[in-house]
Amino acid sequence: MRIALAAAFVMVVASAAEARVVRLRIERREVVLHGREFGAAGPYEKLVGKVDFGVDPDLPRNAMIVDLKLAPRDARGEVEANADFYMLKPVDPARGNRRLLYEVGNRGGKSILATFQKAAASLDPTTDADFGDGGLMREGFTLLWMGWQWDVPERPGVMRMEMPVATENGRRITGLVRGNFILNERASTSSVADRNHKAYPVLDPNSPDHVMTVRDEPTAKGEVIPRSRWRFVDGSTVALDGGFEPGRIYDVVYRAADPRVVGLGLSGTRDLVSFVKNDASDANPARGVRLAVGWGVSQSGRFLRHFLYQGFNEDEQGRRVFDGVFDQVGGAGRGSFNHRFGQASRDALQYFNILFPVDLFPFTDGPETDPETGVVDGLLARAERTGTAPKIFHLLTNSEYFNRAGSLVHTDATGTKDAELPPNTRVYMIASAPHGPGPFPPASNVGGGMTGRAALNPLNYSPVVRALFHALDRWVAEDVAPPPSAIPRLAEGTLTTPERAGWPAIPGYQLPRQPLRAFHLNFGADWAKGIVSVEPPEVGRPFVVSVPAVDADGNVRAGIRLPDIAVPLATYTGWNEYKPPYPKGELADRDGSYLVFPAEKISQRYRSHADYVAKVEAAVGQLVKDRLVLQEDAERYLEKARGETRVAA
């Protein structure tokens, strides 16, 4: 199996019926770990290369792709794009389980193996450690990634997509772009791009029409900085006389040209997954796959919500693309994934990347009414009309309720009553968890950007993610009902206002009085067409958001309570507050806090170390019974409890 595969360059052309994927260019094909057998699935191989797309602008099912009709066409009248792809599959597809797990890579990355196989993080898995315990591969899954952003940094292993530039009858299109940034220390220059991504270059650096503002409160009107005091020093870097002050919010609105057709990231995802599921020719290296689950985390979870909302789960032939969707910590958001001059990297936090088009109505899977406009809509409205709605898991942590308007996923738009979830939707919350776990032993992010006051929350909820994925897979493949939704509810008093959440007296720490709010935003008259003409947007009335109630320890009462919460030695939160120079009370990104119990409280809580271990064992046993933790992960919790030194023998 070692022969020629590693050096092969193979071009496979899609069949006429699946012409939207024009070809796969397999640039590297390698057998995984020298042909090691992964259970009944046998050896796996790695396929790395490019996928070429041809998208028909005149097809009604492509009408939602902004500016597609303004992109150049090839001889067939189609718009061309190409993307990096990466596949792990059984060498013999017939030995697989006929199911695909597709990851929407977060900013070009890969996380399937680290999350589901407990592997080392890697952009190009090669070693034993990179493949971890091989769990998904032993079960026969085909694993797939594709680049969908043009603006991610170019470095080895990062997945990217090449997208065409839209023009109007050959003339360059121009439009407004906004850079938003906050610095940790005084600096004379700053990039207008987000997180080292590529920016749309300024069209005329010297134009007097560009505007820079500064403010201290997220929704305050910015103070205009005189144009004579600042300048572009290159296409995407600005300088300010006297320097930028740390902790203040700066916006630069400038005119750029040559917008990419960024919605091709959505259609490319649709077309590649559909191709793998449906093309029976030799052009499909994973032919035989019949079911597909899409998984995305954070930005990528928002991508999947956007994908569903805009109808991309219906392919060009009218077929369902994803049979299951796992939106992990996407909160109530969507994103800048399909509008002119969209910056896909931008999210929208309380004090960072402010007022970008993320937390926009509708928020729930089922129909809801916007109290301001009277519009009735739902995330799955288009998919339900076309019969292409998948089975969906939304996974939230405590963090999303404070910095991603998470309560709106399962309340009505007024925030006054619990929403009725569609039968094909489940929503789960990991009690007291952060957006992403911090280090263990717990430490602050000193030396990182935007440092929080408390040590970062180390609560690792990957075991729940693994268990829920297997539940979703069984729901999709065997129609076995998954665990019921586990969320805080208004009707039960476990979802409420911050002042009624029950936060205990913990010296130096208070529950944030104001979580991130989702606002009605006006981006201009052509926003429905995907064109921004008002930047920054006009801010209208907020939607009402709520937060989970907590117990006497400050830990969340509802949702999935892991042993660290059910049998606690500390208070865990999904929020943290910035240290100076940021204003007091502002939420530090999506970071969580870890506030360890005093030794006296621990000794009063547990009679002995054996008592503590017994309580952990009972909590873990219940989670396994409820199918929220796999048996194979249960022992890890017990090992941790047995080795806990803070509880006296």
Side-chain angles (χ1 to χ4, degrees):
M1 293 184 178
R2 300 181 185 180
I3 59 170
L5 289 179
F9 179 97
V10 181
M11 183 169 67
V12 287
V13 180
S15 64
E18 308 297 339
R20 306 292 66 78
V21 170
V22 177
R23 67 184 61 82
L24 293 178
R25 290 180 275 150
I26 301 172
E27 299 171 349
R28 184 157 54 96
R29 191 168 195 161
E30 303 170 357
V31 173
V32 170
L33 297 178
H34 308 291
R36 176 185 297 178
E37 297 267 337
F38 288 90
Y44 263 67
E45 61 180 341
K46 175 197 307 183
L47 281 64
V48 184
K50 305 282 187 183
V51 53
D52 295 324
F53 298 102
V55 186
D56 183 356
D58 299 320
L59 195 68
R61 290 190 177 101
N62 291 328
M64 63 279 203
I65 304 173
V66 172
D67 286 341
L68 183 65
K69 289 193 173 184
L70 301 181
R73 306 189 188 195
D74 61 17
R76 294 177 301 178
E78 294 180 338
V79 173
E80 295 181 346
N82 71 79
D84 299 322
F85 86 92
Y86 197 105
M87 178 184 287
L88 296 172
K89 57 171 281 291
V91 170
D92 179 1
R95 297 180 67 178
N97 67 6
R98 300 165 67 88
R99 303 201 288 280
L100 172 75
L101 174 55
Y102 177 88
E103 178 185 358
V104 181
N106 188 311
R107 296 174 175 84
K110 300 180 181 74
S111 296
I112 285 178
L113 301 184
T115 299
F116 296 105
Q117 297 192 169
K118 307 168 192 172
S122 175
L123 293 173
D124 185 16
T126 303
T127 67
D128 285 354
D130 296 340
F131 288 96
D133 67 11
L136 293 178
M137 297 160 75
R138 291 196 308 272
E139 295 179 45
F141 283 95
T142 294
L143 309 177
L144 180 63
W145 298 260
M146 186 198 81
W148 57 273
Q149 288 182 249
W150 71 272
D151 58 347
V152 291
E154 293 188 45
R155 60 189 182 92
V158 171
M159 312 286 285
R160 304 184 68 257
M161 189 176 199
E162 296 296 332
M163 300 168 172
V165 168
T167 63
E168 289 181 324
N169 299 317
R171 297 192 303 274
R172 299 178 79 184
I173 293 174
T174 67
L176 297 179
V177 176
R178 177 165 60 97
N180 172 258
F181 55 91
I182 306 168
L183 302 181
N184 300 312
E185 54 189 29
R186 183 176 293 275
S188 59
T189 63
S190 176
S191 171
V192 297
D194 183 41
R195 298 174 236 207
N196 298 316
H197 283 54
K198 295 184 177 182
Y200 279 103
V202 62
L203 181 61
D204 176 7
N206 299 315
S207 171
D209 297 330
H210 307 316
V211 177
M212 179 183 287
T213 62
V214 62
R215 62 191 191 278
D216 296 307
E217 296 297 327
T219 58
K221 183 177 178 60
E223 173 191 348
V224 176
I225 297 175
R227 187 68 178 87
S228 59
R229 289 192 55 211
W230 68 275
R231 66 204 60 82
F232 281 90
V233 295
D234 60 32
S236 60
T237 304
V238 289
L240 175 65
D241 292 346
F244 296 102
E245 298 179 64
R248 305 196 75 188
I249 304 166
Y250 291 89
D251 279 304
V252 178
V253 178
Y254 63 97
R255 186 162 292 275
D258 305 330
R260 271 48 168 210
V261 184
V262 297
L264 289 170
L266 294 160
S267 67
T269 299
R270 173 196 69 186
D271 294 344
L272 180 58
V273 173
S274 178
F275 168 77
V276 172
K277 279 181 64 177
N278 296 293
D279 191 287
S281 74
D282 290 341
N284 181 3
R287 59 191 176 279
V289 166
R290 290 292 175 265
L291 297 170
V293 171
W295 174 63
V297 180
S298 190
Q299 176 209 38
S300 308
R302 293 188 289 107
F303 178 99
L304 286 169
R305 291 172 58 85
H306 203 116
F307 182 94
L308 293 171
Y309 178 64
Q310 292 203 316
F312 285 96
N313 209 45
E314 178 187 21
D315 74 4
E316 288 192 344
Q317 287 74 41
R319 299 168 299 201
R320 181 187 292 116
V321 178
F322 289 118
D323 303 280
V325 164
F326 194 152
D327 153 35
Q328 181 176 329
V329 298
R334 299 197 300 277
S336 300
F337 307 133
N338 190 22
H339 70 264
R340 186 176 290 179
F341 292 108
Q343 301 175 70
S345 177
R346 298 281 185 183
D347 41 21
L349 305 177
Q350 188 192 52
Y351 202 69
F352 181 61
N353 272 344
I354 300 161
L355 303 180
F356 285 91
V358 175
D359 299 308
L360 303 179
F361 179 88
F363 308 101
T364 58
D365 286 0
E368 62 177 337
T369 302
D370 184 333
E372 184 80 5
T373 66
V375 170
V376 178
D377 206 351
L379 208 69
L380 296 181
R382 289 173 175 82
E384 293 289 359
R385 287 197 296 268
T386 59
T388 57
K391 293 171 177 175
I392 304 173
F393 280 6
H394 299 288
L395 180 63
L396 304 170
T397 69
N398 186 228
S399 178
E400 280 71 63
Y401 290 85
F402 286 91
N403 229 331
R404 182 78 294 119
S407 64
L408 291 172
V409 172
H410 55 86
T411 70
D412 72 346
T414 69
T416 60
K417 64 179 181 179
D418 299 305
E420 182 177 345
L421 301 178
N424 58 325
T425 290
R426 297 289 187 276
V427 185
Y428 305 97
M429 179 195 69
I430 311 292
S432 290
H435 187 74
F440 192 86
S444 73
N445 60 343
V446 173
M450 302 183 175
T451 303
R453 292 179 57 229
L456 300 180
N457 184 341
L459 188 63
N460 188 332
Y461 51 89
S462 292
V464 176
V465 176
R466 288 191 284 273
L468 288 179
F469 170 73
H470 281 83
L472 177 58
D473 177 56
R474 290 196 69 194
W475 197 19
V476 167
E478 305 170 34
D479 204 28
V480 174
S485 294
I487 49 178
R489 299 181 187 274
L490 293 167
E492 298 170 355
T494 52
L495 186 68
T496 186
T497 59
E499 58 269 19
R500 299 181 64 182
W503 182 255
I506 299 178
Y509 292 93
Q510 295 291 328
L511 196 74
R513 298 295 89 190
Q514 182 59 70
L516 175 141
R517 291 175 291 176
F519 292 92
H520 290 85
L521 299 177
N522 176 21
F523 288 95
D526 292 327
W527 175 240
K529 301 175 184 177
I531 300 172
V532 174
S533 57
V534 176
E535 191 67 281
E538 297 174 354
V539 180
R541 295 183 62 182
F543 293 91
V544 177
V545 296
S546 302
V547 301
V550 300
D551 61 20
D553 296 318
N555 289 318
V556 170
R557 291 163 48 195
I560 300 171
R561 286 167 59 94
L562 289 170
D564 308 75
I565 307 305
V567 191
L569 299 173
T571 298
Y572 296 77
T573 80
W575 51 267
N576 206 327
E577 293 183 352
Y578 284 129
K579 284 184 175 180
Y582 301 95
K584 185 177 181 180
E586 296 292 351
L587 294 174
D589 198 352
R590 291 144 296 189
D591 295 340
S593 300
Y594 178 82
L595 309 172
V596 66
F597 290 169
E600 181 182 0
K601 183 173 182 176
I602 294 174
S603 63
Q604 293 171 350
R605 176 73 59 92
Y606 306 108
R607 296 190 307 271
S608 65
H609 189 270
D611 176 46
Y612 170 74
V613 172
K615 285 180 167 62
V616 170
E617 187 171 14
V620 173
Q622 189 63 50
L623 289 168
V624 172
K625 181 180 178 181
D626 294 339
R627 295 181 291 154
L628 298 171
V629 168
L630 301 175
Q631 185 62 54
E632 64 194 58
D633 283 322
E635 184 58 31
R636 293 192 171 203
Y637 285 112
L638 299 180
E639 289 176 2
K640 180 182 175 185
R642 294 180 191 120
E644 180 57 64
T645 60
R646 287 175 290 177
V647 182

